[in-house]
Amino acid sequence: MKKTLILLVFVLSLTSCQSQEKKTEKASSKSKVSKTDAQWKTELTPEQYRVLRKKGTEASFSGEYWNHFEKGYYACAACNNPLFTSDAKFNSECGWPSFDQAIKGSVIYKDDSTFGMQRTEVMCANCSGHLGHIFDDGPAETTGKRFCTNSVSIRFIPKK
């Protein structure tokens, strides 16, 4: 009886996870930007292409926005999808722009085990461009999250 109950709970949890994944896929596929590799190469700078499309990383303390704190918001450099508000930005002293939260529904996450590390990749929900990674070492007084973002993958839009 106990084994049957455990099996039933396991099956129900799998079903619940699968239905949640389907909802996420549907939600993120309705406004997807779909371009060929050749189109991305013509629309992005070589550095933007390397980071956004090939999952590269810019050198720390080299990007335009690592120490930028004007009011406004940050959009995806590839598709202009709003990603982060300036109110979510903080100085993490890591050399990359850091945010404690993304605009709801603006990003998607993917497990990343490259280079022998276990991380979570953050991508634009609209065009799947690589933005950076998320870590659990952000400000404890807010979300505790740090969206470590490549400057070249975002564009600042000042508050009017």
Side-chain angles (χ1 to χ4, degrees):
M1 178 70 169
K2 188 175 182 180
K3 286 182 181 180
T4 304
L5 183 59
I6 290 172
L7 182 61
L8 179 62
V9 169
F10 178 72
V11 169
L12 288 174
S13 67
L14 283 178
T15 305
S16 172
C17 290
Q18 288 174 344
S19 65
Q20 183 63 33
E21 287 174 18
K22 288 177 184 174
K23 286 179 190 172
T24 303
E25 287 173 18
K26 286 179 184 174
S28 65
S29 65
K30 67 181 174 183
S31 64
K32 283 276 190 190
V33 172
S34 180
K35 296 183 181 183
T36 66
D37 204 43
Q39 287 173 308
W40 284 122
K41 280 185 177 179
T42 62
E43 293 179 19
L44 301 172
T45 68
E47 181 68 354
Q48 286 174 324
Y49 178 80
R50 185 183 72 78
V51 171
L52 283 157
R53 307 316 308 169
K54 296 299 179 185
K55 302 181 186 301
T57 301
E58 67 191 1
S60 61
F61 301 100
S62 70
E64 181 178 2
Y65 301 122
W66 75 270
N67 197 26
H68 179 264
F69 293 96
E70 289 180 43
K71 291 293 182 188
Y73 70 94
Y74 297 82
C76 176
C79 72
N80 292 314
N81 181 34
L83 302 167
F84 306 101
T85 66
S86 58
D87 291 337
K89 193 165 189 308
F90 67 98
N91 184 4
S92 68
E93 299 179 3
C94 71
W96 290 278
S98 297
F99 304 89
D100 65 2
Q101 63 185 324
I103 295 171
K104 187 174 179 163
S106 67
V107 299
I108 53 177
Y109 306 93
K110 182 179 177 187
D111 289 336
D112 178 3
S113 58
T114 57
F115 306 113
M117 296 181 274
Q118 190 58 46
R119 303 176 291 176
T120 302
E121 178 185 8
V122 179
M123 298 175 292
C124 173
N126 198 44
C127 71
S128 298
H130 172 77
L131 303 171
H133 293 87
I134 186 170
F135 301 98
D136 290 325
D137 60 0
E141 61 275 6
T142 59
T143 65
K145 302 292 182 192
R146 176 172 58 98
F147 287 78
C148 187
T149 309
N150 291 286
S151 285
V152 73
S153 69
I154 56 178
R155 176 177 298 131
F156 178 71
I157 311 299
K159 185 176 183 177
K160 293 179 181 178

